[in-house]
Amino acid sequence: MTKASFENPGVHLPWAGKPVRIEEAEEILTSLWHLSADNVRISQNVNVRASVLNFVICAPDIATAQRASSLLRDLCSTHIARVILLILDTSESSPTEVSTWVTLRSFPIISDIMRHNFEQITIMLSRSALRSAATIIQPLLKPELPIYLWWLQDPPRDETLFSRLAQTSNRVIVDSESFLQPENSLARLAAYLADTAENPSWALSDLNWGRITPWRQLVAQFFDVPTYQDYLSGIYQIEIEHAISPTRDTTGANGSSPTTPTVNTTRALLFSAWLLKSLNWQIDTANERNQHHPETGEHSWHTSHATGKLQLPGTDELLVHSGRGSITIRPRVEPALTPGSLCLVRILSALDDKHATFAIDRADGAEYAITSVELPEGTRHQRTVSLGQSSSRIASTLLHDELEILGHDRLFEAALNEVYRLLVE
């Protein structure tokens, strides 16, 4: 039998507020709002209560949950109504329990005199209570408001818990930058999405998709130039480099083995998939030269057939690609960058025996890149562009953008499905 605990002697979460019985959560929150209203009457501050959305956060442990709770204060004030922070304790040694804490969170809107308040309910679930997570939180959700689910770290191998929570939501948000098994988890997410294709009750998004947006924009800008558009039909090679951490050459004091590079290819894979879809390329999955080395972050695929018609931006003109090409992903040691950050995109094109190269190269981990175009006549055009701090954009900024969207991001979902084909088929 599940024990509804509010005095768990082994768990103390002062940052989560007051421990309560879950059935008392609404009543205690109401009393906290009354105390807040009393502060307004005595002119201590002016509190604003907004009802915009439900935000459910699923964390695998207490430390991750606390970091997520701290991050909430950085979100735009218009994006919070009720936060339900779920701590999913999967330890086999834990008893079956439901422990609950409630608090009002606040941060200034204009100055410290006017503050925005929102409600946070923290729930720790363990053992068999995990299977009932969706049912447990249902009475706590604000009715008639959209429900956003932020799943921290990798999606679980047991899809039951994930799918039940996803089905209660309008939008599911992940961050593949934090995945411990990046490629397997991306493939698993694509499979989840495919299973709901006929009844898409929830939309899926990845914060890493936002991190590669400046790179997608820069590639598109190359071919906004009329004189470069013809080279779209002649693209035959694409090279992408992503950052990895350097390998330490020395062992630890205790004789431990050297640290291996941290590899996360999710941005490179999503970017590759976007290019493949944009160019209407079809990968020859039977080509023996295709290579997959997830442990080092190296991949390559080849095309061997005509890729079909390609429409130039802003025109009705259709071109047909020559049909032979390749796309390569490889690592580059960049100590100053987060593992997985894009470092280089190089696009090679041949048209009527004339060759052109389009490149975006990040220099020494900087938040800017050098774009260059090398034309057949030998001219080279370069410019330095800001990447909008794409590699260091914190999760709160990216979440702010995602919470502006309620429906499906069809472009991302198509790219994710393409990643699945690249990794699995």
Side-chain angles (χ1 to χ4, degrees):
M1 181 175 179
T2 300
K3 179 183 177 183
S5 170
F6 68 100
E7 293 181 346
N8 188 329
V11 181
H12 302 282
L13 305 180
W15 53 268
K18 181 178 181 179
V20 300
R21 293 185 177 88
I22 193 168
E23 62 270 18
E24 298 174 340
E26 290 287 357
E27 179 183 350
I28 300 299
L29 283 172
T30 299
S31 67
L32 292 177
W33 277 113
H34 288 161
L35 289 174
S36 177
D38 289 340
N39 287 339
V40 173
R41 284 194 289 271
I42 63 176
S43 300
Q44 286 188 0
N45 55 41
V46 179
N47 291 304
V48 178
R49 183 178 186 180
S51 295
V52 179
L53 56 87
N54 294 285
F55 194 21
V56 180
I57 305 174
C58 292
D61 51 56
I62 293 174
T64 304
Q66 186 173 5
R67 287 194 297 269
S69 181
S70 298
L71 178 144
L72 291 176
R73 70 182 66 223
D74 297 327
L75 284 176
C76 178
S77 61
T78 59
H79 285 150
I80 298 296
R82 172 166 291 182
V83 174
I84 299 177
L85 180 52
L86 290 178
I87 305 173
L88 308 176
D89 181 5
T90 58
S91 172
E92 292 295 329
S93 60
S94 300
T96 298
E97 288 187 335
V98 179
S99 302
T100 310
W101 297 261
V102 298
T103 187
L104 285 188
R105 303 285 303 279
S106 67
F107 48 83
I109 299 176
I110 300 173
S111 67
D112 197 59
I113 296 177
M114 179 173 289
R115 303 185 66 83
H116 171 84
N117 286 346
F118 65 90
E119 304 156 350
Q120 179 176 313
I121 304 173
T122 303
I123 305 173
M124 177 177 286
L125 304 176
S126 57
R127 298 294 293 272
S128 61
L130 293 170
R131 295 194 296 269
S132 303
T135 302
I136 289 171
I137 69 170
Q138 192 65 46
L140 301 174
L141 297 170
K142 290 276 191 178
E144 300 181 2
L145 293 180
I147 303 168
Y148 289 78
L149 172 67
W150 186 21
W151 188 278
L152 300 174
Q153 295 192 4
D154 301 61
R157 293 188 179 278
D158 179 7
E159 65 179 68
T160 303
L161 173 62
F162 181 86
S163 61
R164 286 179 178 174
L165 286 168
Q167 288 167 11
T168 66
S169 309
N170 299 101
R171 190 170 183 84
V172 177
I173 303 168
V174 299
D175 188 358
S176 57
E177 182 179 78
S178 64
F179 286 173
L180 301 178
Q181 298 179 315
E183 297 186 10
N184 289 339
S185 293
L186 268 189
R188 201 176 305 133
L189 282 173
Y192 289 160
L193 197 62
D195 289 342
T196 62
E198 295 183 359
N199 183 25
S201 58
W202 51 275
L204 178 65
S205 60
D206 183 353
L207 300 188
N208 250 349
W209 182 249
R211 293 187 181 99
I212 66 172
T213 295
W215 291 79
R216 294 189 289 118
Q217 292 172 337
L218 288 173
V219 169
Q221 287 170 13
F222 279 137
F223 302 103
D224 284 340
V225 180
T227 55
Y228 299 160
Q229 288 181 356
D230 287 348
Y231 287 105
L232 273 171
S233 63
I235 295 174
Y236 66 92
Q237 185 173 328
I238 299 171
E239 302 170 8
I240 300 170
E241 293 183 356
H242 60 92
I244 62 170
S245 300
T247 303
R248 295 178 186 171
D249 296 326
T250 59
T251 58
N254 59 356
S256 59
S257 60
T259 303
T260 57
T262 302
V263 178
N264 188 324
T265 57
T266 52
R267 294 191 212 181
L269 287 168
L270 288 169
F271 192 81
S272 300
W274 171 74
L275 281 172
L276 290 171
K277 297 295 291 184
S278 300
L279 294 170
N280 196 24
W281 278 23
Q282 301 296 322
I283 295 298
D284 178 11
T285 56
N287 194 306
E288 295 181 353
R289 295 178 296 168
N290 294 343
Q291 297 183 22
H292 306 284
H293 302 289
E295 68 282 356
T296 62
E298 296 178 272
H299 298 278
S300 64
W301 297 272
H302 292 78
T303 59
S304 59
H305 302 289
T307 59
K309 295 180 177 180
L310 174 70
Q311 185 166 338
L312 295 179
T315 73
D316 295 327
E317 183 179 359
L318 296 175
L319 300 174
V320 178
H321 189 273
S322 61
R324 286 192 174 275
S326 66
I327 185 164
T328 302
I329 295 174
R330 57 177 174 259
R332 185 165 99 184
V333 176
E334 287 285 357
L337 292 178
T338 303
S341 300
L342 294 183
C343 302
L344 171 73
V345 173
R346 183 183 291 119
I347 301 172
L348 283 68
S349 177
L351 186 67
D352 298 329
D353 294 326
K354 296 180 179 179
H355 292 263
T357 301
F358 304 85
I360 308 168
D361 193 355
R362 171 180 272 168
D364 300 324
E367 293 300 344
Y368 63 87
I370 298 174
T371 66
S372 62
V373 180
E374 297 183 27
L375 298 176
E377 55 270 24
T379 58
R380 181 183 178 95
H381 303 284
Q382 287 188 339
R383 65 186 180 115
T384 301
V385 296
S386 170
L387 293 174
Q389 297 184 340
S390 60
S391 67
S392 62
R393 294 180 72 194
I394 59 176
S396 61
T397 304
L398 297 164
L399 276 172
H400 177 279
D401 296 339
E402 291 297 336
L403 295 176
E404 294 281 349
I405 307 169
L406 182 60
H408 290 261
D409 184 341
R410 300 297 182 185
L411 193 59
F412 164 73
E413 292 180 357
L416 184 61
N417 287 331
E418 188 69 25
V419 169
Y420 182 83
R421 284 191 286 270
L422 291 175
L423 296 177
V424 177
E425 294 183 0

